[in-house]
Amino acid sequence: DCGDLLARLRGLAPLALNPLKSWHNYRSMMSGRLKNADEAARSIKDWFYIIRPLLAMKWLEKDLGPVPMRFDCLVDKTVADNHLRAELTRLVELKSRAGEKDRPATPPAALDFVRAELAGRFDSPPPLPDSGKLGPTDLDDLFQVVLRETWSKGTD
């Protein structure tokens, strides 16, 4: 049953997360956007390519597991300041109404957040695990179980 296999793989997926490598990946994504343009020239898309990785890095630092795709989930677990939350929600609304290349005024609290977060983000990574919790044979074991189950179903 493909659904059963998918459920098993999804169960193992969080164990494959390497927090340190993920943190470096998000920092790299963000730094590319930082180099491309100064604050005034950034599009709304550029701001999300900076803010989302910053929030993802905070997520990893809080040891919350795999980083969710949904921006509102990231904000919910990583941003305590209600004013900043409101401005980030407004930024999402601006993005939904504006074109990707539009350059609407970025909310001041969002700018302050980005500036404050960037202040120490490039010096060195925080102390994060440099490996996932997936054992060296976990996927092999799953593969063998699935083969046995599939084989036994085929011989009935």
Side-chain angles (χ1 to χ4, degrees):
D1 177 5
C2 289
D4 187 44
L5 174 60
L6 186 57
R8 291 176 187 184
L9 286 171
R10 283 188 174 140
L12 290 176
L15 301 175
L17 173 71
N18 181 319
L20 184 61
K21 286 183 181 177
S22 296
W23 189 91
H24 280 290
N25 179 57
Y26 284 112
R27 185 177 71 169
S28 177
M29 287 170 50
M30 177 184 57
S31 66
R33 289 294 170 155
L34 290 171
K35 292 175 186 173
N36 288 341
D38 64 26
E39 283 183 7
R42 289 191 184 123
S43 69
I44 192 133
K45 183 178 180 179
D46 288 328
W47 282 111
F48 276 95
Y49 273 104
I50 294 167
I51 294 171
R52 186 179 193 293
L54 279 173
L55 296 178
M57 292 161 72
K58 289 174 73 76
W59 181 281
L60 292 164
E61 290 163 10
K62 289 180 167 220
D63 195 23
L64 297 172
V67 177
M69 290 301 297
R70 291 187 43 190
F71 187 76
D72 60 327
C73 292
L74 274 173
V75 170
D76 185 50
K77 299 285 186 187
T78 60
V79 178
D81 180 276
N82 287 332
H83 182 65
L84 176 57
R85 283 171 167 259
E87 286 203 0
L88 291 174
T89 299
R90 196 173 118 230
L91 201 57
V92 170
E93 292 167 2
L94 279 171
K95 184 177 183 257
S96 70
R97 290 193 312 267
E100 285 189 354
K101 302 288 184 192
D102 286 355
R103 287 164 173 69
T106 304
L111 281 174
D112 291 344
F113 165 75
V114 168
R115 289 177 186 141
E117 287 294 316
L118 291 178
R121 291 287 178 193
F122 294 97
D123 299 336
S124 63
L128 292 169
D130 190 15
S131 65
K133 296 173 186 153
L134 193 66
T137 63
D138 288 342
L139 290 174
D140 290 341
D141 294 346
L142 174 60
F143 180 65
Q144 289 178 15
V145 166
V146 169
L147 282 178
R148 277 194 300 276
E149 289 173 358
T150 303
W151 187 263
S152 69
K153 287 178 186 175
T155 59
D156 291 342

